[in-house]
């Protein structure tokens, strides 16, 4: 089971519960997850121990802000292979701030 632990020398920038969206069939499935942003990586795990994301900051291309259904804020994080990681939550602006603080560029 996955469990977040800071690595030696790693500093936590921010963490919080967010809805992680992933493709399932023709639509998306939402999972209640906890996101941890450090100065070295972005880590996301499910409360049941599933790991959805564990990507070094150096391997991230950037992130974009958007909305789901014109209302719910959405942050999409892209790795260097353009794999998207979607977080839809009213706390998404906090996630965007943590990503900026970690040096992840905001994509235009």
């Amino acid at each position: 089971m996955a469990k977040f632990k800071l690595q030696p020398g790693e500093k936590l920038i921010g963490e919080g519960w967010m809805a992680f969206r992933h493709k399932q069939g023709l639509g998306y499935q939402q999972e209640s997850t906890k996101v941890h942003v450090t100065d070295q990586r972005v880590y996301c795990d499910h409360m049941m121990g599933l790991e959805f994301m564990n990507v070094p900051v150096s391997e991230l291309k950037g992130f974009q802000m958007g909305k789901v259904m014109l209302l719910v804020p959405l942050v999409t994080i892209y790795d260097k292979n353009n794999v998207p990681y979607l977080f839809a939550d009213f706390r998404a602006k906090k996630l965007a701030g943590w990503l900026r603080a970690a040096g992840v560029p905001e994509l235009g």
Side-chain angles (χ1 to χ4, degrees):
M1 279 219 282
K3 181 132 173 97
F4 176 75
K5 290 181 186 166
L6 284 172
Q7 302 299 319
E10 189 175 31
K11 293 180 184 158
L12 183 65
I13 294 171
E15 65 183 354
W17 292 99
M18 302 225 174
F20 176 75
R21 292 172 53 93
H22 58 91
K23 197 87 161 130
Q24 185 170 4
L26 297 175
Y28 286 91
Q29 174 73 30
Q30 285 201 167
E31 306 284 350
S32 178
T33 63
K34 191 158 188 183
V35 181
H36 311 266
V37 178
T38 75
D39 59 340
Q40 297 175 24
R41 64 186 165 133
V42 179
Y43 184 91
C44 172
D45 63 348
H46 189 275
M47 56 196 219
M48 299 300 291
L50 301 171
E51 183 179 290
F52 288 109
M53 182 178 188
N54 188 4
V55 181
V57 169
S58 62
E59 294 297 314
L60 294 175
K61 178 179 179 181
F63 74 96
Q64 288 181 315
M65 296 287 299
K67 297 217 185 253
V68 175
M69 300 173 75
L70 303 173
L71 178 64
V72 180
L74 174 75
V75 171
T76 305
I77 304 169
Y78 294 94
D79 68 14
K80 291 194 174 182
N81 295 317
N82 283 326
V83 174
Y85 299 89
L86 290 81
F87 297 91
D89 200 285
F90 286 104
R91 295 164 288 215
K93 286 184 180 180
K94 283 187 176 185
L95 174 58
W98 302 333
L99 293 168
R100 284 184 198 102
V104 179
E106 188 165 0
L107 304 172

